[in-house]
Amino acid sequence: MDSGRPSAITSGYSVAQLWERNAPLTAEQQNVVDLLSQPCSRWPFQEVEESLDESVSGQVEESKKGNGGVDISLMDAAKFSNSEEFYKWFSEAEAMYLSEKESKFKEYEDGLSEHSQSISSILHCIDGAFKQFESLKMQQLNVRSKTATIQSTCDRLSKEGEQLEEFANQLKSKLSFFDDLHRLGNEISLEGGNRGSADGFIESMAKIDECVAYLQSNPQYADSAAYLTKFRSLQHKAMSSVKQFVSSAFAKATSEAQKARAGQGQGAAVEATLLYVKFKAAVPDIHKVIEAIQSRLSSQHYSRLMHDLQGYYAEKRIELLSDIVEEQLYNYQSSNDLPMLTRLGCAYLVQVTQTEYQLFQHFFPASDVVALSQVVDPLCTILYDILRPYFINVKSITSLCQIINILKVEILDEQFQDKEEALASMRPIMEQIVADVQGRLVYAMQHFIRDEVTLYIPSSPEDLLPQSEQANSDNAGGESSKEGESESDQGNGHEDQGQDKHFSRLYPPVQNTLLCLSKTYGCLEAKTFGGLAQETIQNCTDSCVQASQEIAKSVGLLDSQLFLIQNLLALREQLGMFDVDFGSDEMELDFTHMRDHLRRILRGESSLFAVGASNAVFQLMNTVRPRVHKMHVDSKKDLEKRLKASCESYIMAVTKLAVDPMLSFITKVTATKVANTKKPLKDHAFATPSRLVEIVKTVAEALESNLPEAIRKMKVYVNSPNTQTVLFKPIKSNIAEAHGQIARLLETEYDAETIQMVPLTPPQRLMAILDALS
């Protein structure tokens, strides 16, 4: 046994050594073990071990004394007689030792067990607390959900209560529209006629309109159609009451103004006070009702009511004003002067219209001013009726133009310019008067142009010549002043006075045409004046042409040409002052292409009784239709064409008068050259040197006598130096050209002896002669 234990220990050490040799720790592992040994050295095992040693030693002492235990120290001193006693002792010692070693662990285990039980009880309590918390949480969630449900229910109930209350209010307000029918009906019945007040009518109309509008927008309600009909009937009744109320007020104001006017004297100031201030003060509250009606003019019923009220207002104002205005205008008529009557009458009506405009704006502030024409038109018609007989009997163009200028310039332009809105209702009557006077002026112009231009017949063609101007001035003046004689009763017989000398030398129709156009220009519309001017100029031009033809028959061609140039030129120059179109578009039907078809019908080639498309009438209606030609007639351009033709004919006539033999000779020479005859020119009978000398002498004599006389006549007819130059320049050129051609023929066709024999005027001397004439 003794040898066995050391051998076991030795083997254990040897095994440890063998393990250490076979499985040595690395340096890193050894470091880890050292690190682990450091905290283990501080672990409370050493203290426990010391306490256990103390307890074990105490127990051993107790066992030694009272429990009969074995004293180790005694054991150490005990003597063993055999190995069995030793092993026994060793076992007891080992058991004691082990008991002493394990006791401290058991105590620690017991402490741990107690702690474990305490912890378990604590954990159990904690688990219970958690369970109670979860239960409380569930209860809290349940309470919260129930609270939310209750709150939502309360909110819903509150909203439903509000909705029900609102619905009740709406129902009450809607039912009020139905319930107000009887109340409003009673109020309208009590306020009927002039017993009501302006505020009461305004409130009743507003409520009735509100009810009607509500019922119109909600036709789905029960009995809405029946109530709408009743409210409309009530609305008409209310409008009738309002109309009666306003009409009674206007009638009362008119009656008071008439009584006050009858009790006081007459005069402009008194009339203004009575007709304006008194009338305005007599109806102070009417404008409130009218403003309420004007705010509802979008409705057709109120628009008709407003029209009726304005008509009644106009009727009362006319009743009050017509006698006064008529009396005042007839007072102006006593002067028997149409222009003065026109000025005074229009000025007075302008004043009345301004006053009526202010009064109308007081009662009807938002109404169109055109409605005032119901008052102004009858008043202006009084002036129109007074003036119309006067200007219908006026035949003087001057007087009619004067009246038109007064109406257009002094009245419509000057007085209406700054008062356009106030006098807008008066403008139509004024324009109608102007149109009537213009119509009368057009008739007077046409009559005057027919008598003094188109049908004018001079007493003698010689009287139209400038040479007989002084001797026949009285006759010509009498012919050109027929219009003045017809206007002598109007005091306007000075139409031809103050005219310059050149104008008085013109043909009387030209004078009358220019006088007529100059007076009426601006008095008529541009289109009307243009049409009359175009017709007048055409007739005047034809009259001048006809007069020139008579002069050509009795006096001579040159005088007729110069006469036509003089008058057409003066007419064209004066037309430049008129800024109008002298042209017009005309249409005419052309039946000339139908003649062949009619010939076939007359010859029997086309039957009138044939059936079908070959019928002559059918062919005439379908295939042969009249042609429509559009033409633009411009009298001013026609005048210029005739003037140009007259100037050209005069130039050619004077040229022939001076160098006609030369021109005939040149024409024959040209014909001979065209015929290509081989015979020399000087051998022809018309071109012999003696014949050529005779031609040149004849031309020289004409240059000395005939040409100066023709130029003198031209200067007598045409006073303008520029016009004389324009006419004489081509004449001089033609004469020079004729002499030049004769000179070239002498050089090419004749010998030097013939050239010396022919007394042809040298170019320098010829130009000197012609320049002296110009």
Side-chain angles (χ1 to χ4, degrees):
M1 290 297 294
D2 296 329
S3 60
R5 289 183 67 82
S7 61
I9 294 170
T10 302
S11 63
Y13 283 117
S14 62
V15 172
Q17 292 177 357
L18 181 60
W19 180 265
E20 290 291 339
R21 287 195 304 272
N22 293 333
L25 297 174
T26 62
E28 184 178 359
Q29 293 173 347
Q30 189 64 40
N31 292 332
V32 172
V33 172
D34 294 337
L35 291 173
L36 293 175
S37 63
Q38 291 178 2
C40 291
S41 63
R42 296 188 298 270
W43 198 255
F45 294 130
Q46 185 174 359
E47 297 177 357
V48 175
E49 183 178 1
E50 290 177 355
S51 63
L52 289 176
D53 290 339
E54 291 177 357
S55 63
V56 170
S57 62
Q59 293 177 359
V60 171
E61 289 179 356
E62 291 178 357
S63 64
K64 286 180 179 181
K65 295 179 179 179
N67 296 328
V70 181
D71 188 1
I72 296 176
S73 62
L74 293 178
M75 289 182 183
D76 291 338
K79 303 290 190 177
F80 301 105
S81 59
N82 51 31
S83 59
E84 183 177 356
E85 292 178 356
F86 173 77
Y87 280 116
K88 183 179 179 181
W89 172 86
F90 181 77
S91 300
E92 291 176 356
E94 186 178 17
M96 186 182 297
Y97 180 76
L98 291 174
S99 175
E100 292 177 357
K101 287 291 186 181
E102 291 178 358
S103 62
K104 59 182 180 181
F105 291 107
K106 286 182 179 180
E107 292 178 358
Y108 185 69
E109 181 182 5
D110 294 339
L112 290 177
S113 297
E114 293 177 358
H115 287 298
S116 176
Q117 292 177 359
S118 299
I119 290 171
S120 296
S121 63
I122 292 171
L123 290 175
H124 180 72
C125 293
I126 291 173
D127 291 338
F130 272 116
K131 289 181 180 179
Q132 292 179 359
F133 178 74
E134 291 295 333
S135 177
L136 182 62
K137 186 176 181 181
M138 293 300 294
Q139 292 177 2
Q140 188 264 344
L141 293 175
N142 190 16
V143 170
R144 181 182 295 179
S145 64
K146 290 182 179 180
T147 303
T149 303
I150 294 173
Q151 184 178 2
S152 63
T153 303
C154 291
D155 292 340
R156 179 174 56 80
L157 292 175
S158 177
K159 290 182 179 178
E160 289 178 356
E162 293 177 356
Q163 291 176 356
L164 290 174
E165 184 178 359
E166 183 180 359
F167 177 75
N169 293 332
Q170 291 179 357
L171 184 61
K172 183 178 180 181
S173 63
K174 293 177 181 179
L175 290 176
S176 65
F177 292 105
F178 296 88
D179 297 336
D180 287 339
L181 177 62
H182 298 288
R183 180 181 63 82
L184 293 174
N186 295 331
E187 290 180 0
I188 295 299
S189 299
L190 294 175
E191 294 177 354
N194 53 4
R195 293 174 294 177
S197 63
D199 296 333
F201 282 117
I202 293 172
E203 183 180 356
S204 299
M205 287 191 300
K207 189 61 180 177
I208 292 173
D209 293 340
E210 185 179 357
C211 294
V212 170
Y214 180 79
L215 292 174
Q216 285 179 340
S217 60
N218 297 281
Q220 70 276 9
Y221 293 156
D223 296 334
S224 62
Y227 274 90
L228 180 60
T229 303
K230 294 179 181 179
F231 271 111
R232 286 195 182 279
S233 176
L234 185 60
Q235 187 181 44
H236 290 304
K237 185 177 180 181
M239 289 183 182
S240 299
S241 299
V242 170
K243 182 178 179 181
Q244 186 178 0
F245 174 75
V246 176
S247 301
S248 300
F250 284 145
K252 179 182 177 182
T254 304
S255 177
E256 291 181 0
Q258 289 176 344
K259 290 178 181 179
R261 178 172 177 264
Q264 298 181 11
Q266 296 183 355
V270 175
E271 290 178 1
T273 303
L274 294 176
L275 302 181
Y276 177 64
V277 180
K278 192 73 175 178
F279 191 91
K280 182 178 179 181
V283 282
D285 296 333
I286 294 301
H287 67 279
K288 297 180 181 179
V289 180
I290 294 176
E291 287 177 359
I293 298 173
Q294 287 178 335
S295 63
R296 300 174 174 85
L297 288 180
S298 57
S299 173
Q300 183 179 3
H301 303 292
Y302 283 102
S303 178
R304 189 181 301 111
L305 175 61
M306 177 58 66
H307 183 268
D308 293 341
L309 293 179
Q310 290 175 350
Y312 190 79
Y313 167 81
E315 180 181 346
K316 291 301 176 182
R317 292 303 298 172
I318 293 171
E319 179 183 347
L320 190 61
L321 289 171
S322 58
D323 294 338
I324 301 173
V325 172
E326 185 175 0
E327 181 180 355
Q328 186 65 33
L329 292 178
Y330 275 112
N331 291 335
Y332 295 148
Q333 188 181 7
S334 60
S335 62
N336 201 25
D337 185 2
L338 183 57
M340 183 60 66
L341 174 61
T342 304
R343 286 191 181 94
L344 295 177
C346 292
Y348 177 71
L349 286 179
V350 166
Q351 181 181 359
V352 172
T353 303
Q354 289 178 327
T355 304
E356 289 302 312
Y357 171 77
Q358 296 175 2
L359 188 62
F360 185 83
Q361 285 295 309
H362 172 74
F363 291 114
F364 307 96
S367 296
D368 191 357
V369 185
V370 179
L372 183 59
S373 60
Q374 299 180 57
V375 180
V376 178
D377 284 354
L379 301 179
C380 294
T381 303
I382 298 174
L383 176 64
Y384 178 75
D385 293 338
I386 293 174
L387 293 178
R388 184 174 175 80
Y390 280 90
F391 62 72
I392 285 179
N393 294 323
V394 173
K395 299 179 181 179
S396 171
I397 296 177
T398 303
S399 299
L400 293 172
C401 292
Q402 185 180 5
I403 296 173
I404 293 175
N405 288 328
I406 292 173
L407 293 172
K408 292 182 64 176
V409 178
E410 299 181 12
I411 306 300
L412 291 177
D413 292 343
E414 295 179 359
Q415 297 194 27
F416 278 53
Q417 184 176 5
D418 300 330
K419 309 164 187 175
E420 182 63 31
E421 184 177 359
L423 301 178
S425 56
M426 185 179 174
R427 179 176 288 274
I429 297 297
M430 293 294 102
E431 291 178 349
Q432 182 179 356
I433 296 175
V434 171
D436 288 348
V437 180
Q438 288 176 339
R440 179 61 184 175
L441 177 60
V442 170
Y443 173 77
M445 283 183 62
Q446 293 175 340
H447 187 271
F448 178 77
I449 294 301
R450 183 196 64 185
D451 295 341
E452 303 299 331
V453 176
T454 306
L455 302 180
Y456 178 81
I457 300 175
S459 58
S460 174
E462 289 79 3
D463 296 339
L464 303 176
L465 302 180
Q467 292 86 346
S468 60
E469 176 188 1
Q470 185 67 29
N472 297 282
S473 59
D474 295 336
N475 189 16
E479 294 293 338
S480 63
S481 61
K482 289 182 179 180
E483 181 192 3
E485 294 175 358
S486 64
E487 300 168 3
S488 59
D489 53 61
Q490 299 293 333
N492 295 294
H494 54 279
E495 290 184 352
D496 294 332
Q497 296 179 5
Q499 299 295 331
D500 56 10
K501 183 178 179 181
H502 174 68
F503 185 78
S504 63
R505 294 172 57 187
L506 296 176
Y507 186 43
V510 176
Q511 298 180 24
N512 295 330
T513 298
L514 295 177
L515 282 173
C516 181
L517 294 180
S518 63
K519 290 178 181 179
T520 57
Y521 180 66
C523 295
L524 299 174
E525 299 295 332
K527 186 175 182 180
T528 304
F529 179 81
L532 289 173
Q534 187 264 340
E535 180 182 356
T536 303
I537 293 169
Q538 186 67 39
N539 294 334
C540 182
T541 304
D542 295 340
S543 180
C544 290
V545 172
Q546 185 178 0
S548 67
Q549 294 173 354
E550 295 295 329
I551 294 173
K553 295 177 181 178
S554 60
V555 180
L557 181 61
L558 287 180
D559 289 280
S560 68
Q561 292 172 342
L562 288 172
F563 169 82
L564 188 59
I565 291 172
Q566 175 194 21
N567 289 279
L568 294 183
L569 184 62
L571 186 60
R572 190 195 66 172
E573 291 175 352
Q574 294 298 321
L575 291 181
M577 61 184 291
F578 304 114
D579 185 17
V580 294
D581 184 13
F582 292 95
S584 62
D585 294 327
E586 297 181 359
M587 300 176 64
E588 65 177 11
L589 297 176
D590 184 12
F591 296 92
T592 57
H593 61 287
M594 301 175 63
R595 287 180 294 185
D596 295 337
H597 189 76
L598 294 175
R599 288 194 188 100
R600 288 197 298 270
I601 295 175
L602 295 175
R603 293 173 183 172
E605 297 176 2
S606 297
S607 176
L608 296 173
F609 305 100
V611 179
S614 61
N615 185 275
V617 178
F618 183 78
Q619 291 178 352
L620 183 64
M621 295 175 60
N622 290 277
T623 61
V624 187
R625 298 178 181 177
R627 299 171 184 173
V628 179
H629 296 286
K630 295 182 179 180
M631 300 181 299
H632 182 75
V633 180
D634 193 328
S635 59
K636 188 175 180 180
K637 290 183 178 180
D638 293 342
L639 171 64
E640 292 176 350
K641 291 179 180 178
R642 291 192 178 185
L643 177 61
K644 182 179 178 181
S646 300
C647 293
E648 291 176 352
S649 63
Y650 171 75
I651 292 170
M652 184 56 62
V654 174
T655 302
K656 289 183 177 181
L657 183 65
V659 293
D660 186 59
M662 286 186 177
L663 296 177
S664 300
F665 178 78
I666 293 170
T667 302
K668 293 178 181 180
V669 170
T670 303
T672 302
K673 290 183 177 181
V674 171
N676 291 325
T677 59
K678 297 181 179 180
K679 185 177 181 181
L681 181 62
K682 62 182 179 180
D683 294 339
H684 288 81
F686 70 89
T688 60
S690 59
R691 180 60 182 165
L692 187 58
V693 170
E694 183 181 355
I695 291 173
V696 172
K697 287 181 178 181
T698 303
V699 170
E701 292 177 357
L703 291 176
E704 294 294 336
S705 59
N706 296 339
L707 183 60
E709 180 63 20
I711 301 303
R712 186 189 64 80
K713 280 189 176 183
M714 181 187 70
K715 292 180 179 181
V716 171
Y717 280 96
V718 181
N719 295 326
S720 174
N722 294 331
T723 307
Q724 294 174 4
T725 302
V726 170
L727 291 174
F728 186 64
K729 186 176 180 179
I731 296 173
K732 184 166 60 175
S733 176
N734 292 339
I735 293 173
E737 179 65 22
H739 282 75
Q741 291 184 9
I742 295 296
R744 286 191 293 273
L745 288 175
L746 287 174
E747 292 177 358
T748 57
E749 302 292 341
Y750 295 91
D751 52 14
E753 183 180 357
T754 304
I755 295 173
Q756 292 294 329
M757 184 177 58
V758 175
L760 185 64
T761 306
Q764 294 81 5
R765 185 169 178 274
L766 179 62
M767 294 308 297
I769 294 173
L770 296 177
D771 291 339
L773 293 175
S774 61

